[in-house]
Amino acid sequence: MKVSIITCCYNRAATIRGAIESVLAQDYSDIEYIVVDGASKDGSLDVINEYKDRITTILSEPDHGMYEAINKGIRLATGDIVALVHSDDFLYDNHVVSDVVKEMEKTGADFLYADGLFVDASNTQKVVRNWIGGKYSRRKVKFGWLPLHPTCYIKRNVIEQHGLYDETYKMAADTDFLIRYLYEVRLKVTYLHRYVIRMRMGGMSTDRSRMKAMWKEDVAIMRKHGFSPVATKLMKMMWKVPQFVTAKFLTLR
């Protein structure tokens, strides 16, 4: 199966190289790599273009935010499976994609999610949050549980059927997207119990100045899907507590 991996970037010259190299280092041969740059002004595109012979598609033009960029990437994708590697992040090891494809072929899954790590922005060997996805159930979704967004690998024909990210949400469109896919529709979902991504702490979802806006959008999304909005948002936050606790006992090599 062909896997389309999308990296969206805006002014990430300091980190985009690591994201790109982690994708290009994969031992799975059938990868379509799409990089969508929002007309960066800090030299990000210069870094991206260093790898232009190995990146399938590079699109650089202004956009209205990350979710518009992701949607652009999905529209360009031709693979059987679609996944995201954000510009601050990098795949956990060189075997991630081959292991994901193997699991999806074995289970016939429409949607796979796995485990991921939040690491310190300046020391990527230091784990800040240990996100273990755990077993899937629709009931858990109703009680605030969602998988870590960049651990999700989804069949492209499923996305074509059930829709892209809702760009009216600027902070939490991934929450809406995941609830739609894991609660509103009935997909064959599988969990791969292994780390697939390392995410630098301090991205859009961890910026304190944005938390108020994210709270507002999350509550609106919970209400839209018929959940108890504030209670579900609070439960969503509580799922994070063990991630910080268990991170203290992890040492990366």
Side-chain angles (χ1 to χ4, degrees), residues 20-252:
I20 292 171
E21 291 187 350
S22 77
V23 175
L24 298 180
Q26 291 299 299
D27 62 8
Y28 189 75
S29 60
D30 199 2
I31 293 177
E32 173 185 61
Y33 191 26
I34 299 166
V35 178
V36 181
D37 174 67
S40 293
K41 299 175 177 62
D42 71 338
S44 295
L45 189 58
D46 293 332
V47 177
I48 294 165
N49 280 330
E50 289 180 33
Y51 302 89
K52 63 183 179 181
D53 293 339
R54 300 173 66 193
I55 296 172
T56 311
T57 303
I58 298 171
L59 175 66
S60 182
E61 62 185 23
D63 56 49
H64 296 94
M66 179 176 69
Y67 299 113
E68 181 184 354
I70 292 173
N71 283 342
K72 287 180 181 180
I74 294 172
R75 291 186 184 102
L76 290 168
T78 63
D80 303 291
I81 300 167
V82 174
L84 306 176
V85 176
H86 296 320
S87 55
D88 284 341
D89 310 335
F90 50 101
L91 292 169
Y92 186 79
D93 58 42
N94 298 348
H95 316 297
V96 165
V97 177
S98 56
D99 286 353
V100 165
V101 171
K102 187 183 301 181
E103 185 69 14
M104 292 187 79
E105 288 179 336
K106 182 177 78 174
T107 61
D110 300 310
F111 186 119
L112 176 145
Y113 66 93
D115 304 329
L117 296 171
F118 279 90
V119 295
D120 185 84
S122 57
N123 177 11
T124 58
Q125 295 300 110
K126 180 181 178 181
V127 179
V128 181
R129 285 172 61 186
N130 177 32
W131 194 311
I132 302 299
K135 187 177 179 181
Y136 164 72
S137 75
R138 291 180 74 248
R139 179 179 173 82
K140 281 171 63 176
V141 175
K142 192 170 184 179
F143 284 90
W145 172 90
L146 290 172
L148 182 60
H149 186 208
T151 73
C152 299
Y153 288 69
I154 309 170
K155 293 282 185 68
R156 183 169 59 88
N157 63 345
V158 171
I159 298 176
E160 290 173 348
Q161 181 179 357
H162 297 293
L164 302 175
Y165 293 79
D166 185 342
E167 295 171 26
T168 61
Y169 300 113
K170 301 304 179 186
M171 308 296 300
D174 52 321
T175 297
D176 174 69
F177 182 89
L178 292 173
I179 292 173
R180 281 193 283 124
Y181 277 64
L182 296 174
Y183 187 80
E184 301 290 352
V185 299
R186 300 279 185 165
L187 300 177
K188 187 162 188 181
V189 179
T190 194
Y191 165 51
L192 179 62
H193 186 21
R194 66 101 88 200
Y195 295 116
V196 298
I197 198 82
R198 299 188 201 190
M199 304 177 66
R200 285 179 175 85
M201 200 75 170
M204 186 169 77
S205 64
T206 56
D207 184 337
R208 291 185 180 221
S209 66
R210 300 174 181 261
M211 285 184 176
K212 184 176 180 180
M214 183 168 287
W215 172 279
K216 184 176 179 180
E217 286 197 4
D218 264 346
V219 167
I221 288 165
M222 303 304 179
R223 183 178 292 111
K224 167 188 167 183
H225 290 285
F227 301 163
S228 177
V230 174
T232 307
K233 171 61 177 176
L234 291 171
M235 286 187 286
K236 182 184 178 189
M237 295 171 66
M238 290 303 296
W239 285 101
K240 298 178 182 180
V241 173
Q243 299 167 13
F244 287 99
V245 174
T246 59
K248 297 180 183 298
F249 302 99
L250 281 181
T251 303
L252 297 182

